Amino acid sequence: MSMTVTELPHKEQALFRSALLYEASQYKKGLKVSEQILKKFPDHGETLSVKGMFLAHLERKEEGYELMERGLKINPQSSISWHVYGLVCRSDKKYVQAIKCYEEALKADSENMHILREVASLYVQMRQYSKAVECREKLTAMNPFFPSFWLGLATAHHMNGRYDLAIKVISAHELGNNQPPLDKYMISELSLYKNWLIELNGDYQQALEHLKEIRPQIVDITGWKEKKARLLLKADRKEAAATAFQDLLERNSENDDYITGYMECNGLDMKCDEDQDAVLEVIGTLQQQFPSSNRLRFLPLMYSTGDNFAAAAESLAKYALRKGIPSLFSSVRVLYADKAKGAALGTLIESCATQIRDTKRFSDSTDDEPASVLLWCNYYLAQHYDYYGDHERALTLIEEAIRSSPKTIEPYMIKARILKHAGDFRGARDTMDYARQQDVGDRYLTTKFIKYMLRVDEVDEAEKTYLLFVNEDAPHKIQEIVNMQATWYMNERGHAYRRMGDIGRALKHYHQAISVFDTYQDDQYDFHQYSVRKVTLRSYIDILEWEATVYENPAYQTAARAAAECYLELADRKASCNTFVPIEIEKDDKPLTRNGSAQQGQQNLAAGVGETKVYDVEKDPNGTKFVESDNLAEALKLAEHLESVAASNPDTHVLAFEVHLRMQKYFLVLKAINALKAIDATHPALPSMVVRLSQALDTDESFAAALKVPLRAQLAKSFGAVDITTGTAESIDSVLAAAKSMLAMGNGDQAAALLVQTPEAKYAEGRTLLKLLEAKRLLAKSGADESTQAAFGASAKTVFPLATCF
């Protein structure tokens, strides 16, 4: 029978309780106290568990977990031991295991308020809302005078879909007389939250009455007015709703939601073609009321055609050109999806430029226009022609704009973009550098310059430039870059290392980007109690709903796919006995602080001055741990996670196919093929995927013959006879997909024969610079001789004559 805390001598009981009170900065003291107890009572299970917790927090995790498990074996009924184990699991983001530990702790101490609060937060973290409700109901019953317990229960009911119960909980909380008084901001937020619950419960009339009742308590006046307008519309009181939206438009006439709501009040759907004439009429009325609204000035272009479009476009264009608004093209670029509108806009601005060159004024004006109008005409037209791929014409126009105003920065930025699209990455980088030098304090310009440096693989120079964003007194500047969570930088740097063949460092940077989104997911834990305590309940619910979609971010999916592809490349190299060896970082004797000179740093460290901590970014500078991991297992983790969070993206299933095929999980391979077909039955990768699965079934003798039969039958039923070259006669995407599969099957010559054709005119539709660069990369991988690659480069140059990347 294990000795419990209460059975320890009085002195040791006091020592044990003091050990539990040590904060994070005092783990070493806590460790000494626990060791002092264990000298007399070496088999005291709870002290062993506490010592294990301290060791785990002191980066001795393996030893710490071992001690905690030993403590639990000695005293499996101890709530303290289970609680301690749960705390460490929670700290290590092992939330499912932490919940199990807390549940075991509650079996021994069912009314421990600390454990109940922590496990309630974990239930919300893991979206186990019904359990969160049960836990918070118990907390509320134990201490009905604690406001955050009531509000936590209400939010739990909310996320569990029981809005009616959430309303009852809030009402009961409001009736309580013994609660600490809330300040006016908390009262305002709580009132609006209750109103939101009534709205979600579908009782719009009651919500309107409640909204009127709480008006004197509201601090967020705009939020109150927005709810009023929305509720009036939902209650089908359209006349009153129109007045409410009119009031909101007077506050902000640029808000799309207000404009859309006002249209709905007039019985109009802005997405319905049949309503577009009426929509334009209402927009015209609003323009008269709010003549300074840029949004209302733009909207007619979305819904008009023909002469009406031309008139609206001319009005907007002349206003923007006179004002010198650089973002004009960015604003109307969405209209270029309609080819007729895109062409009309180009013709309009060409006409404006001609009028200014010839007469210095527009045809409908009697006054000369400022000289800057021609600058912005050329600025727009350069982007217009760049959009359509006429890079030479675009460069001519932007050079004219630069000559007319050499000190204006924006034309240099557009020139850099045009050069990038034309394939002159070095020229783009140099032009962006020149633009940055004109205003070195502009963070946007510096950011763009860093991107352009990374596109030409200048990773070290990009890092030095990025350090301009880091405070001079930062203890470790490189770690600070990681802490800034700039996923665009991490991904671009990873792409650069991947192009350079340094897969280890590429993986390191991709995982840094992935960890940013993991941090977003983990950080919500801190808000489960904080938001309830501060009564920011509406924002808290928004956070929970946003967290459910955090991995849908394109930056995460880019990093995860790229990392998985790197793992697959490593696995393929190991399979072909061409193992990748991590590239060692050059020794530069820099101090760990990365501040000051190396000599000064070494002197500081020798004297015990400055930060000597080994930071995460330094622990594996070459990405060796990623290279030496189980590559296929790591790729599988990423692919499975993408399948759960990005199932609508075709690239997810192409990746899953590649991973499962290498792991010889053929039923999962077929599942990936069918998932891709369900999304896009004409996807260019489908034929080659079917052929590769068929070939794998034919050649893999280790796979049971009986299981091959249903797989082949399903392939035949769904796809029939498929050739790997299907679609390659007219689609460059099909060529690239087929070439990749041929390379995977060891048919390099066939792949090369397809790839050398990609610059030909028959692939003009859909042929982009990036696709030709991908063809170039695959051609080199195919083992094509230098003359073939040179011929491809010369052919590609005819398509992109300004390119320097072929």
Side-chain angles (χ1 to χ4, degrees):
M1 185 73 179
S2 171
M3 182 183 292
T4 64
V5 173
T6 56
E7 293 173 334
L8 285 173
H10 180 73
K11 179 181 178 181
E12 279 68 26
Q13 284 187 41
L15 285 172
F16 184 85
R17 292 191 175 93
S18 70
L20 291 178
L21 296 175
Y22 284 118
E23 299 296 333
S25 59
Q26 298 176 308
Y27 288 139
K28 290 183 180 179
K29 290 184 180 179
L31 181 61
K32 287 181 180 179
V33 171
S34 59
E35 287 175 342
Q36 188 177 342
I37 298 172
L38 290 171
K39 284 180 181 179
K40 292 185 178 180
F41 304 96
D43 292 329
H44 187 246
E46 292 170 336
T47 305
L48 284 169
S49 295
V50 171
K51 179 182 177 181
M53 175 186 70
F54 289 134
L55 289 172
H57 285 299
L58 290 169
E59 303 301 326
R60 295 163 63 181
K61 291 189 181 294
E62 187 175 344
E63 188 179 352
Y65 274 101
E66 184 180 336
L67 279 176
M68 288 186 291
E69 289 167 4
R70 182 179 158 198
L72 282 169
K73 286 181 181 178
I74 293 173
N75 190 353
Q77 305 302 320
S78 169
S79 66
I80 293 176
S81 294
W82 281 111
H83 188 187
V84 164
Y85 200 0
L87 286 171
V88 176
C89 289
R90 191 200 73 191
S91 177
D92 290 341
K93 319 301 183 188
K94 300 176 181 178
Y95 298 124
V96 174
Q97 192 172 349
I99 287 174
K100 292 178 181 177
C101 292
Y102 286 136
E103 289 174 342
E104 289 294 330
L106 287 171
K107 289 179 182 178
D109 189 1
S110 60
E111 296 189 354
N112 188 309
M113 196 172 297
H114 293 295
I115 299 175
L116 285 167
R117 290 176 67 177
E118 289 169 15
V119 76
S121 296
L122 283 172
Y123 284 142
V124 177
Q125 182 82 6
M126 301 307 295
R127 304 302 188 260
Q128 298 177 18
Y129 295 122
S130 57
K131 289 186 177 181
V133 167
E134 294 175 9
C135 195
R136 285 180 166 167
E137 282 178 339
K138 189 169 185 178
L139 280 168
T140 306
M142 289 170 58
N143 192 345
F145 306 114
F146 204 56
S148 65
F149 289 170
W150 288 93
L151 302 183
L153 177 58
T155 57
H157 279 309
H158 182 160
M159 295 308 295
N160 201 36
R162 292 300 306 272
Y163 308 124
D164 55 334
L165 295 180
I167 295 167
K168 289 180 180 178
V169 170
I170 296 291
S171 299
H173 166 263
E174 290 174 336
L175 293 174
N177 295 320
N178 298 315
Q179 60 194 23
L182 302 177
D183 64 35
K184 64 179 182 179
Y185 299 102
M186 291 180 175
I187 293 172
S188 173
E189 279 296 307
L190 184 59
S191 299
L192 286 172
Y193 177 64
K194 182 179 180 181
N195 187 266
W196 185 25
L197 289 171
I198 299 171
E199 177 188 353
L200 291 173
N201 203 40
D203 195 340
Y204 303 131
Q205 189 56 44
Q206 183 186 347
L208 280 167
E209 293 171 3
H210 178 259
L211 195 66
K212 183 178 180 180
E213 178 186 328
I214 65 175
R215 175 61 183 83
Q217 304 171 353
I218 301 304
V219 176
D220 180 7
I221 303 302
T222 301
W224 185 89
K225 287 177 176 288
E226 288 175 346
K227 288 191 71 67
K228 178 184 176 182
R230 185 170 65 246
L231 286 169
L232 286 168
L233 184 59
K234 287 184 176 181
D236 203 28
R237 294 169 57 182
K238 292 185 177 180
E239 187 174 344
T243 302
F245 277 113
Q246 181 84 17
D247 182 31
L248 287 168
L249 283 167
E250 289 176 2
R251 284 173 167 258
N252 181 5
S253 59
E254 307 290 343
N255 190 302
D256 272 344
D257 291 336
Y258 299 169
I259 297 170
T260 302
Y262 186 79
M263 293 292 177
E264 291 177 4
C265 294
N266 287 275
L268 302 174
D269 182 354
M270 296 178 74
K271 297 180 181 179
C272 178
D273 292 340
E274 296 177 355
D275 289 346
Q276 288 190 3
D277 289 340
V279 166
L280 285 169
E281 185 178 344
V282 174
I283 291 174
T285 303
L286 290 175
Q287 278 183 303
Q288 293 175 3
Q289 297 177 41
F290 309 105
S292 63
S293 171
N294 289 323
R295 190 59 183 166
L296 290 171
R297 191 177 285 112
F298 169 76
L299 281 176
L301 278 69
M302 294 285 292
Y303 303 105
S304 58
T305 57
D307 293 340
N308 289 334
F309 174 82
E314 183 175 3
S315 174
L316 174 65
K318 289 181 178 178
Y319 169 81
L321 293 171
R322 285 170 174 148
K323 288 282 188 181
I325 300 176
S327 60
L328 174 59
F329 182 82
S330 300
S331 299
V332 301
R333 181 170 177 167
V334 65
L335 301 173
Y336 277 65
D338 184 327
K339 292 182 179 180
K341 288 185 177 181
L345 286 167
T347 302
L348 170 65
I349 305 299
E350 286 276 19
S351 174
C352 289
T354 301
Q355 292 170 32
I356 297 299
R357 285 193 189 97
D358 294 345
T359 66
K360 297 184 180 181
R361 65 186 63 172
F362 293 125
S363 59
D364 59 351
S365 175
T366 57
D367 298 324
D368 289 351
E369 301 293 341
S372 62
V373 171
L374 183 58
L375 159 68
W376 297 116
C377 284
N378 289 327
Y379 182 83
Y380 180 97
L381 289 170
Q383 297 174 82
H384 171 82
Y385 285 108
D386 178 50
Y387 178 88
Y388 286 114
D390 190 348
H391 303 120
E392 292 176 285
R393 174 66 174 149
L395 275 176
T396 300
L397 287 161
I398 205 64
E399 289 287 5
E400 184 180 341
I402 289 172
R403 285 193 299 272
S404 66
S405 182
K407 293 185 178 181
T408 304
I409 295 175
E410 285 83 0
Y412 293 102
M413 297 172 63
I414 296 303
K415 181 182 177 181
R417 183 188 299 171
I418 294 167
L419 289 170
K420 180 187 73 172
H421 293 164
D424 185 0
F425 298 138
R426 172 62 59 179
R429 177 250 185 237
D430 293 342
T431 304
M432 188 59 73
D433 186 23
Y434 183 85
R436 182 182 74 96
Q437 295 296 339
Q438 308 310 302
D439 186 0
V440 292
D442 190 313
R443 284 176 168 257
Y444 177 75
L445 285 171
T446 303
T447 297
K448 296 298 289 185
F449 177 51
I450 292 169
K451 275 190 175 183
Y452 279 58
M453 279 196 291
L454 290 171
R455 299 269 170 80
V456 293
D457 302 337
E458 293 181 352
V459 289
D460 292 334
E461 292 79 1
E463 181 182 274
K464 291 175 184 176
T465 306
Y466 199 101
L467 288 174
L468 295 172
F469 295 143
V470 179
N471 292 332
E472 285 295 326
D473 58 352
H476 193 291
K477 292 187 176 182
I478 306 304
Q479 182 66 47
E480 192 71 15
I481 291 177
V482 178
N483 294 342
M484 290 170 75
Q485 298 185 328
T487 53
W488 65 266
Y489 175 75
M490 297 168 182
N491 280 338
E492 288 290 349
R493 196 171 169 91
H495 296 337
Y497 277 124
R498 190 178 177 191
R499 287 191 297 269
M500 296 161 65
D502 193 342
I503 304 176
R505 286 194 185 88
L507 278 168
K508 178 178 178 178
H509 288 285
Y510 290 139
H511 276 284
Q512 286 176 353
I514 291 169
S515 70
V516 169
F517 295 93
D518 292 337
T519 301
Y520 292 160
Q521 190 75 7
D522 294 332
D523 281 353
Q524 66 177 302
Y525 182 86
D526 297 329
F527 292 94
H528 299 319
Q529 294 185 28
Y530 173 85
S531 296
V532 171
R533 190 170 68 252
K534 294 295 184 180
V535 200
T536 55
L537 304 180
R538 293 184 299 161
S539 298
Y540 173 59
I541 298 298
D542 288 342
I543 287 175
L544 294 181
E545 292 175 348
W546 175 78
E547 289 284 0
T549 64
V550 68
Y551 289 110
E552 295 176 12
N553 190 293
Y556 169 77
Q557 295 184 32
T558 296
R561 280 198 304 272
E565 289 166 1
C566 286
Y567 281 123
L568 292 178
E569 183 176 349
L570 290 171
D572 291 344
R573 293 181 66 158
K574 287 179 182 177
S576 61
C577 300
N578 182 25
T579 305
F580 173 80
V581 179
I583 301 171
E584 291 295 326
I585 193 170
E586 293 182 6
K587 301 293 183 181
D588 57 4
D589 294 325
K590 287 185 178 179
L592 295 179
T593 60
R594 294 288 181 98
N595 281 329
S597 68
Q599 184 179 2
Q600 291 171 337
Q602 294 296 348
Q603 289 172 353
N604 287 342
L605 295 181
V609 178
E611 180 61 74
T612 60
K613 177 182 176 182
V614 177
Y615 286 82
D616 291 341
V617 76
E618 293 176 317
K619 291 180 180 178
D620 185 21
N622 308 319
T624 303
K625 73 173 183 179
F626 302 114
V627 174
E628 294 179 350
S629 64
D630 185 340
N631 301 143
L632 283 180
E634 294 299 320
L636 179 62
K637 289 179 187 176
L638 293 166
E640 288 180 338
H641 192 241
L642 283 170
E643 285 182 302
S644 66
V645 301
S648 61
N649 189 331
D651 292 338
T652 295
H653 304 293
V654 174
L655 175 64
F657 167 87
E658 296 289 351
V659 174
H660 294 314
L661 187 65
R662 285 167 174 79
M663 300 184 79
Q664 298 174 308
K665 298 179 178 180
Y666 299 124
F667 282 98
L668 292 178
V669 172
L670 180 61
K671 178 184 174 183
I673 293 174
N674 287 333
L676 179 60
K677 182 184 178 184
I679 297 171
D680 182 2
T682 62
H683 194 280
L686 272 174
S688 55
M689 290 166 69
V690 172
V691 170
R692 287 176 64 190
L693 176 56
S694 298
Q695 186 198 54
L697 292 174
D698 292 339
T699 57
D700 188 354
E701 297 180 357
S702 64
F703 192 67
L707 295 177
K708 293 181 181 181
V709 175
L711 283 170
R712 288 196 177 101
Q714 183 62 45
L715 283 177
K717 179 181 178 181
S718 299
F719 300 97
V722 177
D723 184 77
I724 198 169
T725 59
T726 300
T728 57
E730 62 278 341
S731 168
I732 191 171
D733 291 318
S734 295
V735 170
L736 294 174
K740 289 177 184 177
S741 292
M742 289 173 179
L743 290 172
M745 295 161 65
N747 300 327
D749 291 341
Q750 293 181 37
L754 274 178
L755 291 167
V756 294
Q757 302 176 39
T758 50
E760 294 179 3
K762 63 181 178 180
Y763 298 118
E765 186 175 353
R767 180 183 56 198
T768 65
L769 177 67
L770 292 179
K771 289 176 184 176
L772 287 182
L773 286 173
E774 176 68 1
K776 176 189 174 184
R777 184 186 70 82
L778 294 173
L779 188 62
K781 192 175 179 180
S782 72
D785 56 42
E786 291 184 5
S787 61
T788 302
Q789 294 187 51
F792 170 85
S795 185
K797 286 276 287 183
T798 63
V799 181
F800 292 94
L802 301 175
T804 59
C805 53
F806 294 112

